[in-house]
Amino acid sequence: MAKIVIDPVSRIEGHLKIEAVVEGGVVKEAKSSGMMYRGLENVLIGRDPRDAARIMQRICGVCPTSHGLTAAFALDELYGVAGAIPDNGRILRNLIQGANYVQSHILHFYQLAALDYVDVTAVADYAGNDPALKQVQEFIARGHLGPFVPRYEGDYRLSKEENRAAVAHYVEALNMRRLAHEAVAIFGGKMPHNMSIVAGGATGEVTLDRIAAFHWKMDQLLGFIDNVYLPDVLMVARRYSDYFGVGAGCKKFLSFGVFDLDSDPDLTKRKRYLPQGIVRADLTLNRVEPEKITEEVENSWYAGSGPLHPYEGETIPDRDKAGAYSWVKSPRYAGEVLEVGPLARMLAAYAAGDRQVRGAVDGVLGEFHASPSALFSVLGRHAARAIECKVVAEKCKEWVLQLKPGEPGCADFPLEVTARGMGLHEAPRGALGHWIVSEGGTTKNYQAVVPTTWNAGPKDGKGVPGPIEQSLVGTRVRDQRNPFELVRIVRSYDPCLSCSVHAVTPRGEELGRFVVEGA
């Protein structure tokens, strides 16, 4: 018996540690440990609730639009304006979020996950004239291999030409991400941390020039998705087809739904392009009941006990808690472990009978003569993310043409409230919920249950592992010094642990305490 410790897992957002106990070459037990404390909810206590749409974007620099929009959904309910969002405001929210989805998915495959499958050293003896490959070749010659190393060795299966093409696309993807960021900024004002999304809608000005600019950028991005991203995912899948049988996990999924098609004040009834639902292994779709959502901290570095609904949730750090091993909490739905993310959304849309999604998913499965159960895997998650990137980009091109210059994008609302509000949404990485309680016009409690909390959480009070932990158990590790299998599984979830703002020394010493006047 041996223990593999990967600390930190590189090429993800934030700091994640993975421990795996291996016996006979097979993982018998796994621990997923989030090593960063997120206390941003506590920053909102005592502040004007409207600050949430700005401050909560600082949870993450990769998907700030998701947090800003989910906070806005919670504020819509808090201020009683959820059913009055103007069409322009609803569409602007979809466009800002959609462009961020495209950016995030391209980032994940090329800059974060692809290097698990692509051998960059194939560029070393390149004799052609591709400027991207020549640039990478020059880095290699100078010994400047970051961000391509450090890496594990021993399981690169692409041909030399396939590796070179993938490296060139890695560089091209950087420009595509920039283009998607620019698309966000057209209606969001800037990226990251847009200024347009607010309670009641969105404030971005709608003009013919902006509509044309957004449409053009999305058209360029769609060309990259169709001609580069999707073919590259299929190329990797053909060479690593055994990964359709690796990393299955809990095989139960949660989607809150995303991209509003109406403004029903009840988020559980609101019509969304990608639907809400609980998906089982048999691809049945069941409605979401938000009151069944809880978080546990039995094995997390937080004070407290027992499952708590987010409205009653607490964020009280306890670093010395006995038996705890993660700063991530353990979300559950009616006590069940659920996976969230692009795979959950594509499965929900597939189960709901969406023709576009069904056609794309069946097309990929047909390439490998596989059934839908093959989606419960490492490659299933990559395929779902690429398919979603395509359908979202296509919808954004449609939605931007529905905007009406000169019409309002935001509804007015009263400021004095004593109430609470819930925002249910989907970040690129999965189901995202924000819950706010207000008293006397200020925030009394705020809780955010983020996608990687669902996926990377530790064991709950019953000893049941979270989705990533379950995906690792049963995995055969060929070379314990190069545990490719483990990092490929973890990165297929696109974990994001960067949900915190900190300033510490390498030894964890306190730098100082500050009082900011006027805050």
Side-chain angles (χ1 to χ4, degrees), residues 322-334:
Y325 62 90
S326 180
W327 282 114
V328 181
K329 297 180 182 179
S330 302
R332 296 292 183 264
Y333 180 86

Side-chain angles (χ1 to χ4, degrees), residues 1 20 56-57 67 97 155 162 228 247 266 341 356 373 412 483:
M1 184 177 293
M56 295 311 285
Q57 289 192 59
H67 286 286
Q97 181 65 91
D155 189 27
E162 288 171 333
V228 180
D266 186 342
Q356 189 178 20
S373 63
D412 292 330

